[in-house]
């Protein structure tokens, strides 16, 4: 159980494949109440990526998470009332430094006698290895006088964010297809982005805060509700303790699809993360 982010469940291992399972509902994972889409709590896409990195790190604890690749968000995990979803995270080491991960769930049927409802939520690949400390290469920006990020949390109207997700502080939009923002640990937590430094993988709150900048740009560009679709690749360099500056740029727009690149760095100008090919789709 965690008040701020997802955790893996009980593990079973067979033939090189690890499977983590646990029940998830709004009581065991109250942060879900802070991410409501069209009136129902929804498991955030960035948190699915967080679970992928957790599973890979648990499988290969001697290595560090270097990045993700070919992540596909298949179907949203929605929560109705207090009914639980039985989450299943399956990890398999394709190579020594590569772990493929799939996330699915099952739910009890609405009426007795019917089969359980099964859904696939995401799949992707996690790259593992030895992280090399990133050198300072970015110039920290001054956000004094910039717009309050709260305005972006109110977009779109169909999605409501609570305190767990309120990481953004200030933003600027230097061009139509660009967005700059500064984000901090939700609630300006003294423990930083990761409650427990021994926790495996990457903190979902940090992934969510960075990718939310691109998500917000997608909404601003089209003035429509969008939902995550794919993430071509992501490089993960460091987990900072404090504020992170983020730059999102829209690289393509076609029909109802938009694609973004996102880069983030810490207060010393050291790279935190780089995401390529983050695609969103407009809700019909």
């Amino acid at each position: 159980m965690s008040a701020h982010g997802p955790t893996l469940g009980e593990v079973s291992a067979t033939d090189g494949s690890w499977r983590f399972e646990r029940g998830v509902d709004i009581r065991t994972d109250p942060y879900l109440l802070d991410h409501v889409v069209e009136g129902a709590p929804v498991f955030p896409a960035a948190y699915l990526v967080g679970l992928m990195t957790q599973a890979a790190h648990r499988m290969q604890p001697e290595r560090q998470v270097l990045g993700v690749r070919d992540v596909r968000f298949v179907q949203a995990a929605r929560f109705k009332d207090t009914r639980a979803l039985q989450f299943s995270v399956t990890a398999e080491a394709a190579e020594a430094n590569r772990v493929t991960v799939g996330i699915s769930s099952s739910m009890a049927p609405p009426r007795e006698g019917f089969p359980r409802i099964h859904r696939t939520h995401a799949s992707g690949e996690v790259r593992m290895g030895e992280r090399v400390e990133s050198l300072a290469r970015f110039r920290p920006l001054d956000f004094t006088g910039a717009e309050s990020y709260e305005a972006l949390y109110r977009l779109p109207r169909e999605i409501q964010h609570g305190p767990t997700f309120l990481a953004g502080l200030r933003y600027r939009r230097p061009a139509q297809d660009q967005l700059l923002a500064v984000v901090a640990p939700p609630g300006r937590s003294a423990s930083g982005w990761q409650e427990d430094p021994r926790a495996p993988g990457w903190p979902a709150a940090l992934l969510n805060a960075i990718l939310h900048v691109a998500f917000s740009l997608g909404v601003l560009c089209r003035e429509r509700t969008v939902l995550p679709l794919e993430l071509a690749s992501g490089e993960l360099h460091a987990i900072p303790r404090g504020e992170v500056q983020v730059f999102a740029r829209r690289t393509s727009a076609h029909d109802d699809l938009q694609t973004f690149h996102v880069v983030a760095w810490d207060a010393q100008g050291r790279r935190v993360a780089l995401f390529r090919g983050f695609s969103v789709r407009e809700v019909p």
Side-chain angles (χ1 to χ4, degrees):
M1 173 177 173
S2 172
H4 303 288
T7 57
L8 296 169
E10 297 294 325
V11 61
S12 59
T14 55
D15 299 328
S17 177
W18 288 36
R19 187 182 185 91
F20 303 87
E21 290 191 296
R22 67 178 286 255
V24 177
D25 59 40
I26 60 175
R27 293 168 297 191
T28 62
D29 295 66
Y31 58 84
L32 293 169
L33 295 172
D34 286 345
H35 189 255
V36 176
V37 181
E38 295 181 337
V42 174
F43 202 88
Y47 280 28
L48 294 171
V49 179
L51 282 178
M52 289 181 184
T53 66
Q54 285 187 37
H57 199 180
R58 282 278 299 274
M59 194 176 194
Q60 298 185 357
E62 72 283 359
R63 295 184 172 92
Q64 295 172 305
V65 176
L66 299 183
V68 294
R69 188 169 63 181
D70 297 332
V71 177
R72 290 176 172 81
F73 304 108
V74 182
Q75 192 171 13
R78 297 176 178 269
F79 293 81
K80 299 180 180 179
D81 303 320
T82 57
R83 280 192 287 174
L85 296 181
Q86 187 69 18
F87 255 52
S88 176
V89 181
T90 304
E92 185 173 347
E95 296 176 2
N97 61 348
R98 198 160 52 91
V99 179
T100 57
V101 185
I103 302 177
S104 60
S105 72
S106 66
M107 181 177 66
R111 292 187 294 275
E112 190 175 347
F114 285 79
R116 291 184 67 84
I117 301 170
H118 296 271
R119 291 189 173 94
T120 299
H121 300 300
S123 64
E125 183 179 285
V126 182
R127 295 188 299 107
M128 307 295 292
E130 187 67 30
R131 187 182 299 131
V132 178
E133 185 174 353
S134 180
L135 299 176
R137 54 174 297 187
F138 294 92
R139 179 173 59 88
L141 305 176
D142 182 6
F143 278 84
T144 303
E147 299 289 335
S148 171
Y149 202 86
E150 291 181 3
L152 298 182
Y153 285 121
R154 291 194 289 268
L155 297 172
R157 289 175 297 176
E158 292 83 359
I159 301 179
Q160 290 82 46
H161 298 93
T164 304
F165 293 86
L166 300 184
L169 302 178
R170 298 281 179 180
Y171 80 93
R172 286 199 180 97
R173 195 177 182 188
Q176 185 70 17
D177 290 343
Q178 298 177 3
L179 193 63
L180 279 162
V182 57
V183 299
R188 306 304 296 267
S189 170
S191 61
W193 294 97
Q194 199 155 26
E195 293 178 88
D196 183 356
R198 300 167 299 177
W202 261 57
L206 177 58
L207 293 170
N208 185 73
I210 295 172
L211 290 176
H212 190 273
V213 178
F215 172 86
S216 298
L217 180 56
V219 174
L220 289 170
C221 286
R222 292 289 179 85
E223 298 183 350
R224 295 284 301 276
T225 301
V226 299
L227 292 176
L229 183 65
E230 292 182 346
L231 176 59
S233 67
E235 299 172 11
L236 309 178
H237 295 271
I239 302 176
R241 288 194 57 81
E243 294 183 359
V244 174
Q245 297 189 355
V246 185
F247 174 63
R249 177 173 61 90
R250 187 169 70 164
T251 57
S252 67
H254 180 70
D255 295 332
D256 62 343
L257 296 178
Q258 301 180 75
T259 303
F260 305 88
H261 285 187
V262 191
V263 62
W265 59 94
D266 66 12
Q268 287 74 47
R270 295 172 299 197
R271 182 182 290 180
V272 171
L274 171 64
F275 295 105
R276 297 183 178 91
F278 176 54
S279 300
V280 300
R281 170 177 287 168
E282 294 177 20
V283 176

